[in-house]
Amino acid sequence: GAVVSQHPSRVICKSGTSVKIECRSLDFQATTMFWYRQFPKQSLMLMATSNEGSKATYEQGVEKDKFLINHASLTLSTLTVTSAHPEDSSFYICSASAGAGGRMSNQPQHFGDGTRLSIL
Amino acid sequence: GDSVTQMEGPVTLSEEAFLTINCTYTATGYPSLFWYVQYPGEGLQLLLKATKADDKGSNKGFEATYRKETTSFHLEKGSVQVSDSAVYFCALSGKAAGNKLTFGGGTRVLVKP
């Protein structure tokens, strides 16, 4: 159980293109979804946290107009990298959790397989 | 704020060797502790977890014990295999942080036949 599907797994596109990445929880309701960015040989950097039906909370230094996050249902969140440039090239990983604080706050995050984004 | 420190890699071992990856944390209250594993080109998989002091998490031969007195959650495996080659991340989740995970820097493990 607790499968998270992330699509696409790899994207190569030209500078200026907008790219949408989908994150789906397949067998559970994800109250909270998280979006991370990982640079080569480094740890994960949390970009934003989204709760179903509300606006995402972005971490300091992350441009919310650049990285648009939508969490319209309990099983789907999307990250759109708008007008992508080479410096946006990275490995993006989503995770989903059934917890949103309170008594559910010990629910683990379940991760997708990541999306490798390459902007030419 | 919360933080996780884990030993830097890479750690290179021979098959059947004993593996230890140290992890210590700083957090307020009583966080939950996790170990995640990342295979090349993939996302993270939850390896094991512990939610309170003295809990032992275990999975696939890996173990880690939540030690509040030393604020540690060291990962161990008695006999590694080549297939254990991956990057291992220690992480904590504090209730006050709304289920956010704070990751350590990751430790790359390479097991040679």
Side-chain angles (χ1 to χ4, degrees), chain B residues 49-57 64-67 73:
Chain B
K49 68 174 183 175
T51 58
K52 61 183 188 297
D54 299 326
D55 267 2
K56 177 186 283 188
T65 301
Y66 190 144
R67 301 287 188 199
F73 193 54

Side-chain angles (χ1 to χ4, degrees), chain A residues 34 36 38 41-44 46 49 59 91 93 97 99 101-102 104-114, chain B residues 30-32 34 36 38 41-46 49 51 89 93-95 98-101 103-106 108:
Chain A
F34 303 84
Y36 296 86
Q38 185 180 30
K41 297 185 178 181
Q42 294 189 26
S43 190
L44 280 72
L46 179 64
T49 304
E59 296 298 302
F91 193 56
I93 306 176
S97 170
M104 296 292 283
S105 63
N106 284 336
Q107 295 300 310
Q109 292 182 28
H110 302 280
F111 287 79
D113 281 343
Chain B
Y30 300 91
S32 295
F34 305 88
Y36 284 87
Q38 184 179 34
E42 298 183 13
L44 273 66
Q45 298 176 26
L46 177 64
K49 68 174 183 175
T51 58
F89 292 94
S93 174
K95 292 186 177 67
N99 210 32
K100 283 185 190 179
L101 278 171
F103 285 93
R108 185 174 301 274

Side-chain angles (χ1 to χ4, degrees), chain B residues 1 9 19-20 24 43 50 52 59 62 64 70-71 74-75 82 84 89 101 104 108 111 113:
Chain B
L19 171 68
T20 299
T24 57
K52 61 183 188 297
N59 186 26
F62 290 90
T70 53
T71 61
H74 305 322
L75 182 68
V82 172
D84 293 323
F89 292 94
L101 278 171
R108 185 174 301 274
V111 180

